[in-house]
Structure formats: C-alpha cells, structure tokens
Amino acid sequence: MTTHWHGKWIWSDTNDRQWNYWLCFRREFHANGGPATLRITADSRYRAWLNGQLIGNGPVRAFPETYRYDEYEVHLRPGGNCLAVLAHEFGVGTFQSLPTRGGLLAEICAGDECLVATDPDWKWMEHPTFSRDTARISCQMGWAETYDARLEPHGWHEIAYDDGGWQTAFEIGPVGSPPWSSLHPRDVPFLTEEPIEPASIWRARRVAPPPTVWSVSLRRNLLPGYIEANQMNIEGFLTCVIESDSREVVEMEAIGGVDAGPGRIRLNGREVEAVEPTLPLWTGSRRYRLSLVHGPNLLVWDVSGRYHEWTARAAFDATIGTHGPRHRSAEFATIAISPNDPMAEQIRSSRTVEELEAVTGDLLQPVTALDTHHQVVTDRVAFATEVGALTVDCAFPLTISAGAGDEEIVFDLGKMTVGYWEMDIDAPEGAIIDLLGAEAVQDGILDLPWEMNNTLRYWCREGRQSYRCFNRRGCRYLIATFRDHAEPIVLHGIRTIQATYPVQPIGSFRCDDERLNKIWEMSAYTVRLCMDDTYVDCPTYEQTFWVGDSLTESVANYYAFGAYDISARCLRLAGESLKRSDLVQSQVPSAWTNVIPNWSFMWALAVEDYYRFTGDRATLEELTPPLVMQAENCLKYINLNGLFEIEAWNLTDWAPMDQPNEGVVTPQNLMLGMTWDFVARLTGRSEFAGERKKLFAAINKHLWSEEKQAYVDRLGSETISQQTQILALLSNCAEDERRTTLEKYLIDPPEQIVRVGTPFFTFFQLEALARLGRTDDIVAIIRDKWGIMLDRGATTCWELFPGFMPAGRWTRSHCHAWSAAPAYFLSACILGVRPLEPGFSRAEIDPHPCGLAEAEGSVPTPHGPIHVKWNHSNGKLTLDVSIPNGITAEIRQLDGSSREAGAGDHHFVLA
C-alpha cells in the first residue's frame, strides 16, 4: 500500500450514487518542465489527458478493499500545465466491478515534490455530451455510449480553458477512505495500442429509416434502488398507449431478455396474435400483430420473471413511428404487482386507460423510456430494409453522399479484434453515425450479437472531428450507418485500436499439416484477444474473468506467450473472493454473488499449473492460505454419506448432463478430491489426503452404477456422461477394472452416454487422452472439431461447437478463450515439451509424429524458449533441440527409453 499520497479522493458535490454518471475534472498547475510521474485511479473508470494529450485509461478491475492505481511517466511543460480527467461512475454492479460510489484520486510528482494533487480546489462539471439514458451494453458490462459532439466543451483538456462556471470538487477523504480501504499499484502492464484498419467492405447499401424502438429500464421502476448484478425476480406490468390515426395493423417485435411469451402481451384487453419473428430465433425475440383502433390503444405487457438485466425492448413497424407511444404525460407506466394477485387479471383485461386506472389507482407509476436514439442502433441492421445500392471502395478518404435513406457500410476488419473504435470524419452539424459491432457472418447473414448492445451513437458537430469510444469492444465486422445529413460526410478513417495484454509471440508451432498450423495460430490469437487486465471469457459479450475458464486459458497462454504475470494476478484476485463466500466465486470481482464449485476447484488446479510452469515459489506461498481456507471450508459440505453436497450453480459443461443446483453432483466430488490431493501435497497436511481417500471411497460406493458400468452424474440419477467418466479418470478415483472400462468411453462411448458438449470440456477429454499417450486421437479431435471453425471462416475459436445453439446458429461467442486448447496440446504433444519439475528446471521432450512428417516450434519457459524441430521418415525420427541455460531435459525415444540433455543445441536420431 502506498503511504505517501498527497492527493485526496474527490468527486462531485453529492454522496449519492449516480447511474451512468459522466464527469469532467480538471486542474491547472505550474511546473519547471521535464519528467514527472502521474499516479491516478477512479471508481468506476477514467480517461486522462495532460495538456490535451491522451495519457491512458484505467484502472484495472479490483475489489474495493484492495483497489489499484496506475502510474505513468509524463513530460511537463515549463510554466502552465493542465491535468484533465473524464471519469465514469457506473452506479450499478457489473461482472467486472462492485457498486461502490464514484471517486477520483490523482497526483503528479517530480521527485519528492508534489506539483498537483486531487483536492477541493479541483473543478468539475457533468460531461454534457454523454447521454445518461442509455441501456446497458449487457448484464455483464456497463453502459452503452451515445455521444453528442455538438455539446462538447471544446478545449476542456487544455491549459487556459475557462472553467469559471465549473463547480469545486467534494473531498471524500484521504487514501484509505472507505470503500477503498487499501490502495495498491497496478500489477500488470498497460494494454497495447495497435490500429487495425478495415481489410475490405463486406456490404454497402442504402436503407430505409429504422423502425420505432421502445426501451424501458424495469430495474429503475420495479426494483428501485437495486444496484447489484444478481438474478432477481421482477413482478409487474409495463403499459403504454399507442395513438393511431386510423384502424390499422402493425407488428411489434419484443426483443430478447424480458419474457414476451404467449399470453404475456394484450392490446385493449385481448391477447395479441403471435407471428413469425423477423429476428433469428436465438435472439429470444417474439413478434406480434397488433390490430389498432382509431385513437388510443392500451398495451399491457406482463414483464414478471427472473432476470440479470431488466430492459424491456420492442421494435414497431415504422408506420407508427410518428405517433409514438404515449401514456398521458409519460411514455410508459409500470405497475408493481404480482401476476398471481387477483387484481392482475383485471389489469390484463383492461380495455382502456380509464379502466386500468380504476383498477390500479396509485400503483400505476409513470416512467420515461430510455434513449430510443441509441436503441435503434442495436436492431437497425436486423430490421433494415434495403432501398438502393451504395458503391464505395475501402479507400480513405471515403465520401458518403446524401441521398434517399441512410447509408450503411459494413467494414470487415479481416479478423476478430478487441479495442477502441476510432473514426476521423468531416461532417455537417447534426449528422448521426451509428456503429454496431458483429463477430461473424453465417450463411451470408451478419451474426449480430444477441442480448447485448455492442453499439455506439455519435452526433456530429460541424467540420473535421475525431472520436475514440470510451468502452473497449470486440468485433470483426464494424457496421457504420450514416444518417440525417443533407451534405456529404467524408470519412477519413475508421478502425479498431486493438487493446490487448502486451504479449510476445515466444511460442510457435509449425508442421506439414497446414490445417493444424492454422488451428494453433487461431487458438493463440484467441487467447491474446481474451487477455485484458485478467483473462476474460470473450472480448464482445462479457469481458468477464470467469475463474474456471482461466484454467484452460492460462495453459494455452503458457505455450503461446509465456506471460505468467497475468496468471498470478488472476489467481490472487480469485482468492480474494473467499472474503465473501466459502468457495472461490465463479467470476471476480463481480456484483453477481455466484459460486460454481467446479470453477472454485479449477482455481486450485490452476494454482498448481502456475507453479508447475513458473516455479514461482513466492506466489505459491502467497496463495497457500486461501487454498487451505477453501479446502477446509469444503468440509462443511460433507454429508452423512461422506459426499460433498452444496446448493450452488453445479455446472460442469454445456451439455444435457444431470447437474441440478442441489444435491450430490458427481463431477464436483471428483474435482474436490483433486483439490484436496493438491493441497495435501503442497502443505504436507495428511488430513487432506485422508479426506480425499474417504471421499473417493464414498464416490465408489454411492455413485458407481454396476449396471451401467459408469459413474452416474448425481446421486439417484440414471444419467451418465463422458464428462463424469473423464473426471473419474483424471482424479484417479476410478481404479483397476473400472478405469479400464472408462478409458473405452473417451472417444466413442455407448449411445446412452452424454457426449462432451463444448470446446472447454474437450480440454479435459484431451488431457485424459494425453495421459494415456493417445496423441493420435488428440490430433484427430483437434483437426475435426476446430477445423469446422476454420472451414467457416473463423479467425478465433468459438465458444461452442455447432449443434448446441437453437435455430442452427453455429455458436454464441465467436471468440472465447476457454476453447483455445489446441495451442497447448499441439505443442505439448506433437513437439512433446512439458515441465517435469516446477519452472521447467527439468523438462520432458517427447515428440509424437501423429502421422506427420515434420514439425517445429518453440515453447516458452522462465529460462527462455525451448526450440524443437523434428523429421519423421523410414521409421526414424531426427530431432534437433535447443535448450536454454537452467534446464535439463529428458529426451524420450520412440521405444519409451530416455536420455538426458543439458543446455545447448543437440541433434538426436530416435529409434
């Protein structure tokens, strides 16, 4: 913890938590010029400028009690200088942050002299250009952006700007003030900044103006004051009045998220007719035909349900766009009442506003819709009607002429990206640019992100201007729609500023099968895009540090990049969640209080992997107390049969396993045994070895089915799965004949056995095969399963294999690092490089031809990379290896014997 801060935590003149609150802070100061150090942090996020030059964004995610600050080396001007900060308070919990309060802390020092520090002399104003009435990007992330450059306070980042009308800051307190009771420096490097320009234009067309889109935050009205991110029940109705000039039939599409199933929506007291939806089935949308009468029409939507995010959205035919929804003085109203209340049926049956008000009285509360200007961005491509061709080349500057309709250009960046969208434009005042990011094209149709707003709306001021978005976003296809301009717009450039963890391509893999080469590169690139300040599941949908996912992501990183420090950070951060629950939480830091026991146990196994690959004893010792704490806490959940039983999200794989959230679930028990085994070996505490032995005895007694010759998925179940059998093998719970039986299920199990469902759990299947030396099977699975992704144009690994998603959709996320296993297995099996002792002090080099003629590559180690090159022909394998100092290697021959090799270059002929 830093103890010599001069700066104080400051914010606006209120202690109240604000939702989606954007603030400008600035302070001018004098200096002699030269180098200095800026230290800065904010809750929730900041972007900082010095004398108009962008410095950076931050901070990294952290729990409030162990918050982090960033440090930059800056250069000051002689005389006047200005430090300016854009700060954003989420005001609600996300899957990356807890809902605390807004705060800013900063100081610039030159040596021992503090030149400027946050205090009550700082000036602030609410940033006028960002709309606060936007929707969430997704339940996992913060708020979508709508930016009106016409309202921008020009020059506020610069010296001599007139901030006389700004307010003075409110001092929260010194460093150590709650909720940030402890403050620590950033423990991972800053992200990269790499411009990714469009490779081509996928489509360009003129489209009709979009339909009317309505959007209402139910959280604010039916869960007032609720700021966490847990799944919660909502009980109530959403109502509005649609004014119509005549009798007409229009169609309404209720878009994803909030339940709009049969019987949920009524018009003038009658249930409306459901029709075929326009949007793909996987969006969860439902389409209804509304027969409007002349005058007011009462729409009543039962929105009761259990949700993570509570935004009700609907798109209407453009024919009613000029009429708009009205409910007296407000656009919408809500009624907080149980759908099972006797009054509920009267509400549903109300034919007019007067009837509704007579029933509900004060229960009917007016609300205001969210920013529909933003919401139209989300769905405008799905609903867009093409009205003409648009011929443009992917060459800048690009002139977009005014004409009938809007101009939509879909830029293909050539590969998946993650970072900050940036554009440079010359435009007339009031022109609108809508940006929407998509990850893929399926069967010639853009696969738009579902249940999220991967969007940006920008209102132009007059003239040349540039904008870099505040939120980090993922996409391959960047859809730009130019609207409301009577004069041409000149687009001088549009791009993603790729922002990923700064890794080096230390690892490599090549062989004579180009399909495998592309799969390895695709896997390594996926890991890179899913390395932020922690590992994250995906760059588009969530950007969440899912603890279990990081087990597979980390080993892929170890073989592709050898970036060990991000793993250490993740392991520490996950361990800190034990202050909030008995087991490590599933995603951290997060306002969704959730435990997936298998993810908790994978955290422990990831600690073991980290030590095995790095030899970092200091970090292992730091993590030992939380490892022991979790291992001890698990004893609370051992039932009278000696089995682990907990009420939690008992997930193992996205497959039709029998894994309810209550009861004895076999995969959890097996993984707990693996955890206790590791903690016993780490600490030398024999009681954990004893607990593992008793647990495995109970598993073999109660969870083995002699009839099915397999372990059932849970106590009392008839379901058996590959997943459970694989974990029984990896944990060594299955012994002797049982083990031999289960090994037969790894590739082609009997029909009644549930198959592995995801690339994530395929990792464990491949690991079980690797331990049996079945490398040919490993390569065949990788070539087939990941080759499907390549054949469909993927540049990153998918979250799912085809066949899981509804309506034939290939996958949800097209970039998901829990699927990056090939980066590990191709190097570990075909090149044959694995650590035998912690930190690769002893390494194994055991190449497997797997039907290949040649292969070469490098594997990172803490001592430097091990280089391997081999050629296989005429039953002999010639091997060239380069071993760095500090490593002794065991070279495995094809007959199973071995020889040792020290540092240096070696040539072997292996019989």
Side-chain angles (χ1 to χ4, degrees):
M1 176 178 176
T2 301
T3 56
H4 302 294
W5 277 87
H6 301 272
K8 305 291 195 301
W9 283 98
I10 61 171
W11 201 238
S12 62
D13 59 349
T14 176
N15 282 314
D16 296 334
R17 184 180 288 104
Q18 301 288 317
W19 288 22
N20 196 18
Y21 194 32
W22 300 84
L23 297 181
C24 305
F25 288 91
R26 70 188 310 274
R27 178 71 188 277
E28 296 185 8
F29 63 99
H30 282 76
N32 293 327
T37 300
L38 165 65
R39 293 188 291 178
I40 184 171
T41 190
D43 196 343
S44 306
R45 297 289 184 267
Y46 75 83
R47 177 170 287 175
W49 294 261
L50 179 64
N51 300 324
Q53 297 298 310
L54 178 63
I55 300 297
N57 310 274
V60 297
R61 70 193 79 196
F63 288 105
E65 63 270 20
T66 52
Y67 215 62
R68 299 283 172 172
Y69 67 88
D70 294 330
E71 189 168 292
Y72 302 90
E73 296 306 313
V74 297
H75 193 87
L76 303 177
R77 298 172 179 171
N81 291 265
C82 177
L83 177 59
V85 182
L86 170 62
H88 185 203
E89 178 184 359
F90 292 164
V92 295
T94 71
F95 286 20
Q96 293 91 38
S97 60
L98 276 64
T100 49
R101 58 150 302 157
L104 172 66
L105 175 71
E107 64 182 29
I108 293 180
C109 297
D112 295 331
E113 182 185 5
C114 180
L115 302 175
V116 65
T118 45
D119 59 24
D121 290 332
W122 276 59
K123 295 293 190 72
W124 74 272
M125 68 174 290
E126 184 171 353
H127 202 299
T129 59
F130 287 97
S131 170
R132 295 183 62 185
D133 291 326
T134 62
R136 294 278 295 278
I137 298 173
S138 65
C139 69
Q140 295 89 357
M141 292 194 278
W143 302 90
E145 286 174 67
T146 295
Y147 190 91
D148 191 340
R150 297 170 298 179
L151 305 176
E152 188 175 305
H154 295 292
W156 74 274
H157 314 91
E158 298 278 3
I159 192 73
Y161 173 82
D162 183 6
D163 57 14
W166 291 30
Q167 301 181 64
T168 55
F170 170 79
E171 182 179 316
I172 299 171
V175 169
S177 298
W180 314 285
S181 53
S182 179
L183 193 61
H184 304 266
R186 182 188 185 106
D187 49 352
V188 284
F190 292 105
L191 302 184
T192 62
E193 287 201 0
E194 172 194 358
I196 306 293
E197 307 289 344
S200 63
I201 290 177
W202 181 77
R203 180 176 70 198
R205 60 180 183 169
R206 292 192 183 276
V207 292
T212 301
V213 178
W214 300 349
S215 181
V216 174
S217 172
L218 301 179
R219 179 206 286 254
R220 293 189 179 185
N221 302 285
L222 296 177
L223 287 175
Y226 186 74
I227 56 173
E228 303 293 335
N230 296 307
Q231 287 181 316
M232 294 290 289
N233 290 321
I234 281 182
E235 292 187 334
F237 295 83
L238 174 66
T239 75
C240 69
V241 171
I242 303 173
E243 295 282 353
S244 180
D245 294 335
S246 63
R247 297 179 67 89
E248 61 179 324
V249 176
V250 300
E251 291 189 354
M252 169 187 126
E253 190 123 26
I255 306 166
V258 174
D259 192 348
R264 288 278 180 161
I265 298 175
R266 294 194 184 187
L267 182 73
N268 301 328
R270 294 184 177 182
E271 186 172 340
V272 295
E273 177 188 358
V275 295
E276 188 71 22
T278 300
L279 294 179
L281 292 176
W282 58 68
T283 65
S285 67
R286 293 181 181 271
R287 193 166 180 83
Y288 291 97
R289 183 167 291 124
L290 308 181
S291 297
L292 301 178
V293 299
H294 179 266
N297 293 262
L298 177 65
L299 184 76
V300 177
W301 182 355
D302 181 354
V303 293
S304 304
R306 186 171 180 82
Y307 310 109
H308 262 309
E309 185 49 42
W310 307 271
T311 300
R313 293 192 296 149
F316 290 76
D317 288 346
T319 54
I320 65 167
T322 56
H323 308 307
R326 291 291 183 269
H327 192 287
R328 302 270 168 123
S329 61
E331 293 185 345
F332 294 89
T334 55
I335 309 164
I337 188 173
S338 169
N340 299 317
D341 189 289
M343 189 189 300
E345 186 54 37
Q346 293 177 278
I347 293 170
R348 295 186 185 96
S349 302
S350 296
R351 293 169 296 177
T352 65
V353 173
E354 289 73 20
E355 287 186 17
L356 181 66
E357 290 177 339
V359 172
T360 59
D362 293 340
L363 290 175
L364 190 64
Q365 296 295 317
V367 301
T368 301
L370 293 176
D371 184 348
T372 55
H373 295 300
H374 164 76
Q375 282 300 312
V376 78
V377 182
T378 306
D379 306 296
R380 68 139 1 276
V381 175
F383 289 102
T385 301
E386 186 170 337
V387 296
L390 188 64
T391 303
V392 293
D393 295 323
C394 192
F396 300 103
L398 190 159
T399 301
I400 297 99
S401 300
D406 303 332
E407 300 80 27
E408 176 197 278
I409 303 175
V410 182
F411 295 97
D412 181 359
L413 297 170
K415 59 184 178 180
M416 266 297 299
T417 65
V418 60
Y420 301 98
W421 297 342
E422 187 176 81
M423 54 186 175
D424 179 3
I425 53 179
D426 195 335
E429 182 175 348
I432 296 172
I433 302 177
D434 288 338
L435 299 183
L436 168 61
E439 290 189 325
V441 170
Q442 178 174 339
D443 299 326
I445 300 172
L446 279 168
D447 185 355
L448 300 178
W450 59 302
E451 294 188 0
M452 72 169 301
N453 301 302
N454 196 27
T455 60
L456 165 69
R457 166 158 285 199
Y458 182 83
W459 298 77
C460 300
R461 65 176 184 269
E462 178 74 27
R464 185 77 176 262
Q465 57 209 282
S466 62
Y467 183 71
R468 178 183 292 191
C469 71
F470 192 81
N471 295 311
R472 183 172 169 269
R473 306 164 182 272
C475 77
R476 171 172 174 171
Y477 296 91
L478 187 53
I479 305 148
T481 305
F482 303 88
R483 305 180 58 223
D484 293 3
H485 61 105
E487 300 174 13
I489 294 175
V490 179
L491 183 64
H492 291 275
I494 190 167
R495 62 191 64 82
T496 288
I497 304 299
Q498 184 112 292
T500 62
Y501 199 83
V503 295
Q504 296 297 320
I506 299 171
S508 63
F509 174 84
R510 298 288 298 174
C511 68
D512 57 305
D513 185 337
E514 191 59 27
R515 190 174 183 84
L516 294 180
N517 296 337
K518 290 180 179 178
I519 290 172
W520 192 96
E521 293 291 342
M522 178 176 72
S523 302
Y525 186 58
T526 303
V527 174
R528 180 186 165 198
L529 293 194
C530 295
M531 295 170 72
D532 188 355
D533 56 339
T534 61
Y535 296 110
V536 296
D537 59 334
C538 50
T540 303
Y541 282 93
E542 301 187 30
Q543 300 182 16
T544 299
F545 169 36
W546 286 94
V547 173
D549 300 24
S550 67
L551 172 70
T552 63
E553 293 166 359
S554 59
V555 292
N557 161 35
Y558 298 156
Y559 276 84
F561 308 116
Y564 305 122
D565 46 0
I566 188 173
S567 293
R569 174 167 210 273
C570 289
L571 295 171
R572 293 189 194 101
L573 197 58
E576 289 181 34
S577 70
L578 287 170
K579 299 172 184 176
R580 292 166 166 80
S581 56
D582 284 342
L583 276 66
V584 163
Q585 294 182 345
S586 62
Q587 10 83 61
V588 295
S590 174
W592 180 19
T593 306
N594 177 260
V595 168
I596 303 176
N598 279 343
W599 270 227
S600 310
F601 303 144
M602 289 178 195
W603 165 73
L605 300 180
V607 173
E608 182 175 20
D609 279 344
Y610 174 79
Y611 180 59
R612 186 160 58 95
F613 279 93
T614 67
D616 180 359
R617 190 73 195 180
T619 299
L620 180 65
E621 291 176 356
E622 181 183 353
L623 293 169
T624 297
L627 282 166
V628 172
M629 179 186 297
Q630 176 172 273
E632 291 175 339
N633 289 345
C634 288
L635 294 170
K636 304 176 187 178
Y637 300 96
I638 300 299
N639 67 17
L640 295 177
N641 288 325
L643 295 166
F644 181 78
E645 182 174 1
I646 191 173
E647 182 177 349
W649 185 8
N650 295 330
L651 175 67
T652 302
D653 187 24
W654 294 123
M657 301 173 63
D658 193 351
Q659 45 186 357
N661 292 341
E662 295 180 351
V664 174
V665 179
T666 310
Q668 288 177 352
N669 280 265
L670 293 165
M671 295 205 76
L672 172 57
M674 297 167 73
T675 299
W676 274 340
D677 175 61
F678 168 53
V679 176
R681 288 184 282 107
L682 171 63
T683 63
R685 290 178 56 173
S686 60
E687 64 265 35
F688 290 123
E691 293 296 339
R692 170 186 176 275
K693 183 176 180 180
K694 290 188 293 183
L695 177 64
F696 281 3
I699 293 171
N700 280 304
K701 178 180 178 180
H702 297 289
L703 299 175
W704 171 263
S705 170
E706 194 63 32
E707 175 190 356
K708 297 179 181 293
Q709 287 293 289
Y711 294 93
V712 295
D713 281 353
R714 67 171 177 86
L715 186 64
S717 176
E718 293 295 314
T719 303
I720 57 175
S721 64
Q722 269 189 303
Q723 293 87 334
T724 297
Q725 316 319 311
I726 288 167
L727 292 176
L729 290 171
L730 291 175
S731 65
N732 294 317
C733 180
E735 298 179 342
D736 304 327
E737 294 85 359
R738 291 184 181 180
R739 186 172 191 85
T740 301
T741 298
L742 299 191
E743 289 172 0
K744 300 174 184 177
Y745 301 159
L746 283 172
I747 295 296
D748 189 20
E751 187 65 30
Q752 70 273 19
I753 294 183
V754 175
R755 265 59 170 182
V756 168
T758 60
F760 170 67
F761 203 86
T762 303
F763 174 95
F764 299 93
Q765 179 188 22
L766 299 181
E767 185 64 25
L769 290 168
R771 294 186 187 185
L772 295 173
R774 294 169 59 176
T775 53
D776 287 348
D777 289 328
I778 293 172
V779 172
I781 290 171
I782 290 174
R783 189 183 282 120
D784 175 33
K785 295 289 190 180
W786 276 264
I788 290 172
M789 305 176 197
L790 279 182
D791 294 341
R792 286 159 174 78
T795 60
T796 46
C797 301
W798 299 351
E799 179 181 8
L800 303 166
F801 295 130
F804 181 83
M805 294 296 294
R809 193 185 192 207
W810 293 337
T811 182
R812 186 189 72 144
S813 170
H814 285 260
C815 181
H816 207 292
W818 81 348
S819 304
Y824 161 48
F825 284 102
L826 292 178
S827 294
C829 295
I830 293 178
L831 299 181
V833 181
R834 293 178 182 262
L836 287 178
E837 294 181 5
F840 280 93
S841 59
R842 287 184 63 80
E844 177 184 64
I845 302 177
D846 183 17
H848 291 268
C850 300
L852 300 171
E854 59 186 18
E856 65 178 308
S858 299
V859 174
T861 82
H863 306 279
I866 296 174
H867 301 284
V868 174
K869 182 177 182 180
W870 59 254
N871 181 278
H872 185 236
S873 61
N874 300 321
K876 289 188 177 181
L877 190 145
T878 58
L879 173 68
D880 292 286
V881 297
S882 179
I883 303 169
N885 291 329
I887 296 178
T888 301
E890 285 192 14
I891 312 298
R892 301 286 183 187
Q893 301 201 137
L894 299 184
D895 62 4
S897 62
S898 64
R899 64 179 75 175
E900 284 200 356
D905 298 331
H906 304 273
H907 177 78
F908 301 98
V909 178
L910 305 181

